[in-house]
Amino acid sequence: MKGRKKREKRFWLVTWLLGILAFGLCCTMLMLGNTIYPVKTILRVLAGEEIKGAAYAVNTIRLPRMLAGLFAGFAFGLAGSVFQTMLRNPLANPNIIGITSGSSAGAVVCIVLLHTSSTMVYIVSIAAGLATTLTMFLLARGKRFSASKLILVGIGVQAMLNAVVSYILQAGSEKDIPTAMRWLSGSLNGSNMSELYFLFIVVLIGTPIILIFSKQLALLELGEEWAVGLGVNTERVRFILMISSVLLIAAATAATGPIAFVSFLAGPIARRLTGKGKANPLAAGLFGSVLVLLSDLIGQFAFELRFPVGVITGLLGAPYLLFLLVRMNQTGEL
């Protein structure tokens, strides 16, 4: 009983600390820029006061950028944790099994070939992500669910879609390539409030659904037989969690592009922080927000040149991926 209470205390302490850190980074993003505004000025602008220079900078540029990073990072982290827990594999995140590649392919087609509006890019990106997931499940379908089969199919689908994206970039007009590449790298530049509302809605609806099923998610991690034996309707729970997670990933990717490695890093690191024994998708989501917000600040202010947030998260995530592969190879998991 003492051990359980200690784990619960650590669980909630880490979750609250991540939330406080995310809030602090949000405040920092609103204050920093070409002009540094004090907290008092930021609060006056957010309250609706028109202050020359500050009102435009905060409301039009910094606030949408901050909210895009906060919500997209949370969506990537939360959904990535669900996939990794449900499929019982730290490599089973949306970046690797092809979901974000589907959204990326749809967006690149709109940007480079169809020259559509940003709203249409958003819609097609979400639809392509959902269609990719459905295709993966149909290809991996068998008499019973197999996580390994789904991961292998996803890796193959990802490779194919990445090849399609590369071909379109080679065949497209040179004037469209910078826009497409900026989107593909994962960026908060040009975030617009009007295009973030769907992401807000999906996060506010999808998060409670995932948290409600968090206990069943933890049981799924034990394996199909154990989960069924403990009374879990695995098909129904898996379907609900999958749909919720895919919508989160598709909406986040449509809003910011495929920010590299956030969905891959958030779950394992959040679990290390909160301790083993309990899946913590909420902490993973908060860590995703912290990672994106912090990486964007680093990309904007730590170097002479400004880098998209996806470049920074990629630099952080690539070494961890290599470490994980080496460790899994040593323990016989590969």
Side-chain angles (χ1 to χ4, degrees):
M1 187 63 73
K2 271 189 176 181
R4 183 180 177 183
K5 286 185 177 180
K6 189 176 179 180
R7 288 194 298 271
E8 285 286 336
K9 186 177 179 181
R10 178 178 174 180
F11 177 91
W12 288 112
L13 177 62
V14 170
T15 302
W16 276 104
L17 287 175
L18 287 172
I20 293 169
L21 182 56
F23 177 76
L25 289 169
C26 287
C27 296
T28 304
M29 286 192 70
L30 291 177
M31 291 190 302
L32 293 184
N34 291 332
T35 303
I36 299 175
Y37 296 110
V39 175
K40 185 178 179 181
T41 301
I42 299 295
L43 292 175
R44 288 168 60 192
V45 169
L46 294 178
E49 188 174 339
E50 283 293 330
I51 300 177
K52 188 177 180 180
Y56 176 81
V58 173
N59 289 329
T60 306
I61 301 174
R62 299 184 191 180
L63 182 61
R65 187 187 190 98
M66 179 271 286
L67 290 174
L70 177 68
F71 279 83
F74 187 88
F76 282 126
L78 180 64
S81 173
V82 170
F83 272 99
Q84 289 167 328
T85 304
M86 185 167 49
L87 301 180
R88 304 169 64 196
N89 192 320
L91 298 178
N93 71 88
N95 290 117
I96 290 178
I97 63 176
I99 298 172
T100 52
S101 296
S103 295
S104 299
V108 169
V109 168
C110 288
I111 294 170
V112 178
L113 298 183
L114 303 180
H115 303 98
T116 62
S117 65
S118 57
T119 302
M120 186 56 65
V121 172
Y122 195 97
I123 294 171
V124 172
S125 177
I126 293 172
L130 294 172
T132 301
T133 305
L134 177 60
T135 302
M136 285 164 44
F137 271 93
L138 290 175
L139 292 174
R141 192 177 179 184
K143 292 183 179 179
R144 56 183 299 177
F145 179 80
S146 171
S148 299
K149 191 174 181 181
L150 178 63
I151 293 170
L152 289 173
V153 169
I155 291 173
V157 169
Q158 182 205 37
M160 182 187 71
L161 290 172
N162 286 344
V164 170
V165 169
S166 296
Y167 174 77
I168 293 172
L169 292 175
Q170 290 292 329
S173 171
E174 289 186 7
K175 65 179 182 180
D176 298 316
I177 303 303
T179 303
M181 290 303 298
R182 185 169 61 251
W183 192 91
L184 285 171
S185 65
S187 176
L188 304 182
N189 294 335
S191 296
N192 191 309
M193 286 295 292
S194 63
E195 296 173 1
L196 295 175
Y197 289 121
F198 184 75
L199 173 61
F200 299 158
I201 292 169
V202 171
V203 171
L204 292 175
I205 294 175
T207 301
I209 292 174
I210 290 173
L211 294 180
I212 287 170
F213 285 91
S214 60
K215 289 185 179 179
Q216 290 91 327
L217 174 63
L219 294 176
L220 285 175
E221 191 177 17
L222 299 175
E224 189 81 9
E225 291 79 8
W226 277 97
V228 171
L230 292 169
V232 178
N233 186 335
T234 56
E235 291 295 328
R236 182 174 71 92
V237 171
R238 191 178 288 115
F239 176 79
I240 292 172
L241 289 172
M242 283 282 190
I243 291 297
S244 301
S245 299
V246 169
L247 280 171
L248 285 168
I249 288 294
T253 304
T256 64
I259 301 178
F261 288 110
V262 178
S263 59
F264 173 66
L265 291 171
I269 294 178
R271 176 163 292 199
R272 283 180 176 273
L273 292 174
T274 57
K276 294 184 178 180
K278 187 174 181 181
N280 191 353
L282 180 59
L286 290 170
F287 185 84
S289 293
V290 168
L291 179 60
V292 171
L293 294 171
L294 181 61
S295 296
D296 190 56
L297 287 170
I298 293 172
Q300 294 300 304
F301 302 110
F303 306 99
E304 290 186 9
L305 296 176
R306 295 193 173 187
F307 294 99
V309 62
V311 173
I312 306 301
T313 58
L315 290 173
L316 295 173
Y320 183 79
L321 175 59
L322 293 175
F323 163 76
L324 185 61
L325 289 171
V326 170
R327 185 179 176 186
M328 291 177 70
N329 185 53
Q330 290 174 343
T331 58
E333 295 178 64
L334 287 178

